[in-house]
Amino acid sequence: METTNNLVALSLILPAYNEEAALQSVAEGIIKALHGVSLSFEIIIVNDGSTDKTGICVEQLASHDERIKVIHHTKNKGY
């Protein structure tokens, strides 16, 4: 990914609470939609104290794409 001075042009923040079933398709859809856009981007997924496997899912996504960053909350904080 080429960036100017390592700056990210667009940051998308996705709050996630018990979203293990939808996260992969949402992240893939965003990446596909932005693929043709000539700007750098990152996706920040905030695992907001999920009680399902959301935390594992977001870590797997981040391990496969350096544009995906993860923040984990130990308990749900809401929006």
Side-chain angles (χ1 to χ4, degrees), residues 19-39:
E19 295 290 345
E20 69 176 294
L23 272 175
Q24 183 170 351
S25 64
V26 170
E28 288 173 354
I30 291 169
I31 291 168
K32 184 178 178 182
L34 293 175
H35 180 71
V37 178
S38 61
L39 56 85

Side-chain angles (χ1 to χ4, degrees), residues 34-66:
L34 293 175
H35 180 71
V37 178
S38 61
L39 56 85
S40 63
F41 66 91
E42 67 182 353
I43 302 169
I44 302 168
I45 303 175
V46 181
N47 173 23
D48 195 21
S50 297
T51 57
D52 64 357
K53 294 181 181 175
T54 296
I56 295 168
C57 293
V58 295
E59 288 298 334
Q60 288 175 344
L61 289 170
S63 73
H64 290 95
D65 193 317
E66 65 183 16

Side-chain angles (χ1 to χ4, degrees), residues 2-13:
E2 290 185 6
T3 61
T4 304
N5 298 325
N6 294 324
L7 295 176
V8 174
L10 177 66
S11 295
L12 295 151
I13 300 172

